[in-house]
């Protein structure tokens, strides 16, 4: 009998060790890991530079609270600001906390309360995160949600332009919806979002928790469309597995987060900052990001070949974030792939999601695609 709350539908696999793109379970079975902690270990498991930075910090100091100056935070913030549209950073512990902070910052800075988000979005499991999420299943059973959130169809510029919500503090979106099915936004839609914000004098919040830190071949996914967000939320890949999140905002918002307005006990602690600095030193290099973009194009081109199978409805993604939409539920296919040594995720009932490490090799991509082809061929249907 487990003494854990059964909040997860866990796989019957326990990982005992992992390195790079590979993981080994307690039975000695080896897996090609295209989950990577749900887009967290962007540099793969056990990256030597990140490991070394954390080990060195372990012998110095772990935690002193945010009552003290923290030079490691300043260094990490400088790197995030240099590679984004923001000027100021608040460090926290997770993506949900980052989105919570982003929502608080937008409301306090504007003095307005309404926030427009999108159907099939996912922004976390706090009350503000659930309220921002455009999926009813996330909210079921938890009573009244935080008020002020309004949902518009994703990738529908006309629906957005006709949205009549007043007193809009912000529009909040993912440039590629992850949990909602790996849905990339069109450029037309993103430009409509930017125009809507300008019309309503609203802030633009981009949730980069899954798409950020190099995942799409740029430091942040909004760069591909030339967006100019006021607030960016990041986490997941930020510490390559060490729990950490951040809110990045423009200088004009600084007064809204004055002393005493927001805080965290553990956020920005020395161990987390050691992990962040080492991770960003590797990922935020143009050669590295260009390589991610190239491998992302290669992955999606290889996956396009799956469309020959009747079971496959669509293949889509951005960079090293890919989704294979099928004409039927994919839970059994994901189990079969795991049995064949490939770890992948669902993104809704009918989509197989691939999130390899950013330093994956083309040989590993080929192996993954061949395994998927083998498994889906056995489940092929004619439509």
């Amino acid at each position: 009998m487990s003494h854990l709350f059964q909040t997860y539908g866990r796989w019957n696999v326990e990982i005992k060790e992992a390195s790079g793109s590979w993981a080994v379970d307690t039975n000695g079975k080896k897996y090609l890991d295209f989950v990577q902690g749900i887009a967290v270990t962007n540099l793969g498991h056990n990256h030597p530079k990140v490991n070394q930075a954390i080990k060195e910090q372990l012998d110095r100091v772990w935690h002193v609270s945010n009552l003290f100056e923290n030079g490691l935070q300043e260094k990490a913030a400088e790197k995030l600001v240099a590679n984004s549209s923001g000027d100021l950073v608040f460090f926290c512990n997770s993506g949900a906390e980052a989105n919570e902070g982003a929502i608080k910052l937008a409301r306090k800075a504007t003095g307005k309360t309404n926030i427009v988000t999108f159907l099939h979005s996912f922004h976390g499991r706090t009350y503000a995160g659930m309220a921002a999420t455009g999926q009813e299943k996330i909210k079921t059973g938890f009573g009244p949600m935080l008020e002020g959130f309004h949902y518009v169809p994703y990738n529908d510029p006309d629906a957005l332009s006709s949205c009549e919500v007043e007193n809009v503090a912000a529009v909040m979106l993912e440039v590629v919806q992850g949990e909602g099915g790996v849905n990339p936004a069109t450029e037309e839609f993103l430009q409509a979002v930017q125009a809507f914000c300008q019309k309503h004098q609203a802030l633009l919040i981009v949730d980069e928790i899954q798409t950020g830190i190099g995942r799409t071949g740029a430091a942040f996914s909004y760069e591909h469309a030339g967006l100019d967000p006021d607030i960016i939320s990041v986490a997941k890949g930020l510490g390559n597995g060490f729990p950490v999140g951040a809110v990045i905002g423009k200088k004009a918002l600084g007064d809204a987060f004055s002393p005493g307005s927001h805080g965290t006990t553990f956020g920005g602690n020395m161990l987390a900052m050691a992990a962040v600095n080492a991770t960003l030193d590797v990922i935020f290099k143009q050669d590295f990001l260009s390589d991610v973009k190239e491998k992302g194009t290669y992955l999606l081109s290889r996956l396009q070949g799956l469309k020959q199978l009747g079971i496959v409805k669509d293949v889509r993604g951005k960079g090293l974030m890919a989704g294979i939409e099928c004409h039927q539920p994919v839970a059994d296919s994901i189990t079969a792939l795991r049995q064949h040594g490939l770890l992948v995720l669902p993104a809704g009932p009918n989509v197989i999601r691939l999130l390899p490490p950013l330093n994956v090799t083309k040989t590993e991509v080929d192996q993954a695609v061949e395994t998927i082809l083998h498994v889906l061929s056995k489940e092929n249907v004619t439509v």
Side-chain angles (χ1 to χ4, degrees):
M1 174 182 172
S2 175
H3 294 288
L4 299 171
F5 277 109
Q6 298 302 299
T7 49
Y8 307 104
R10 298 180 192 269
W11 301 334
N12 188 26
V13 175
E14 183 173 355
I15 302 300
K16 68 173 182 178
E17 58 184 346
S19 179
S21 301
W22 297 89
V24 180
D25 70 16
T26 51
N27 295 315
K29 183 176 177 63
K30 190 175 182 181
Y31 303 88
L32 180 55
D33 185 0
F34 273 36
V35 174
Q36 292 294 322
I38 315 180
V40 167
T41 47
N42 280 7
L43 289 174
H45 299 288
N46 269 312
H47 191 274
K49 289 187 177 179
V50 182
N51 283 11
Q52 185 61 34
I54 294 173
K55 287 175 182 177
E56 289 177 0
Q57 191 60 45
L58 275 170
D59 292 328
R60 293 173 182 157
V61 58
W62 296 17
H63 173 81
V64 295
S65 87
N66 286 299
L67 296 173
F68 296 85
E69 296 288 343
N70 188 330
L72 291 174
Q73 282 189 18
E74 292 288 351
K75 288 180 181 178
E78 183 179 359
K79 292 165 188 173
L80 290 171
V81 164
N83 289 277
S84 75
S85 63
D87 305 292
L88 301 168
V89 180
F90 173 86
F91 287 107
C92 53
N93 304 286
S94 69
E97 285 185 38
N99 279 339
E100 190 87 10
I103 291 165
K104 288 178 67 176
L105 178 58
R107 284 183 159 185
K108 194 165 188 290
T110 63
K112 298 186 283 187
T113 56
N114 286 325
I115 295 179
V116 174
T117 68
F118 298 94
L119 297 178
H120 306 296
S121 60
F122 180 78
H123 298 293
R125 300 200 182 257
T126 61
Y127 269 92
M130 286 194 297
T133 294
Q135 299 185 57
E136 283 303 313
K137 67 180 183 180
I138 300 298
K139 310 170 190 181
T140 301
F142 292 104
M145 290 289 110
L146 184 65
E147 296 179 352
F149 290 87
H150 304 267
Y151 316 101
V152 176
Y154 190 72
N155 264 343
D156 190 334
D158 293 336
L160 179 61
S161 61
S162 62
C163 178
E164 297 180 353
V165 177
E166 299 297 331
N167 197 37
V168 180
V171 175
M172 185 175 191
L173 86 159
E174 303 154 275
V175 175
V176 183
Q177 289 185 330
E179 305 298 324
V182 192
N183 302 311
T186 64
E187 187 166 343
E188 179 188 9
F189 173 65
L190 293 175
Q191 294 307 317
V193 170
Q194 193 85 68
F196 182 91
C197 289
Q198 292 169 352
K199 175 183 176 181
H200 289 265
Q201 295 184 313
L203 302 177
L204 174 57
I205 303 172
V206 178
D207 179 340
E208 292 273 6
I209 289 163
Q210 190 163 151
T211 54
I213 318 300
R215 173 58 55 183
T216 65
F220 299 101
S221 65
Y222 73 80
E223 297 176 61
H224 298 292
L227 292 180
D228 185 27
D230 300 284
I231 302 172
I232 306 159
S233 56
V234 294
K236 286 191 181 290
L238 183 57
N240 207 58
F242 201 97
V244 61
V247 181
I248 308 169
K250 291 194 170 179
K251 186 176 182 180
L253 306 176
D255 289 344
F257 266 9
S258 56
S261 61
H262 192 51
T264 167
T265 297
F266 295 107
N269 69 74
M270 275 77 163
L271 289 178
M273 292 301 96
V276 169
N277 277 300
T279 299
L280 298 185
D281 282 345
V282 176
I283 293 178
F284 282 178
K285 284 187 168 60
Q286 194 51 55
D287 288 349
F288 185 92
L289 292 171
S290 296
D291 192 50
V292 173
K293 191 173 182 180
E294 179 189 348
K295 286 185 290 192
T297 299
Y298 181 74
L299 170 63
L300 287 169
S301 68
R302 286 296 322 270
L303 291 174
Q304 293 298 326
L306 299 174
K307 289 183 177 179
Q308 66 182 295
L309 304 175
I311 191 175
V312 175
K313 180 179 180 181
D314 191 23
V315 171
R316 54 182 179 261
K318 192 77 174 176
L320 288 171
M321 180 179 183
I324 305 163
E325 184 177 3
C326 296
H327 287 285
Q328 64 190 48
V330 297
D332 289 344
S333 299
I334 289 173
T335 299
L337 288 168
R338 190 162 63 248
Q339 292 168 345
H340 282 78
L342 177 64
L343 302 178
V344 295
L345 286 167
N350 288 16
V351 177
I352 298 170
R353 181 172 26 156
L354 281 63
L355 298 165
L358 305 187
N359 46 10
V360 68
T361 67
K362 287 185 177 179
T363 299
E364 291 166 341
V365 168
D366 289 338
Q367 181 173 336
V369 173
E370 291 302 319
T371 303
I372 294 167
L373 179 62
H374 174 74
V375 167
L376 294 188
S377 294
K378 291 187 174 181
E379 301 180 13
N380 194 29
V381 295
T382 301
V383 292

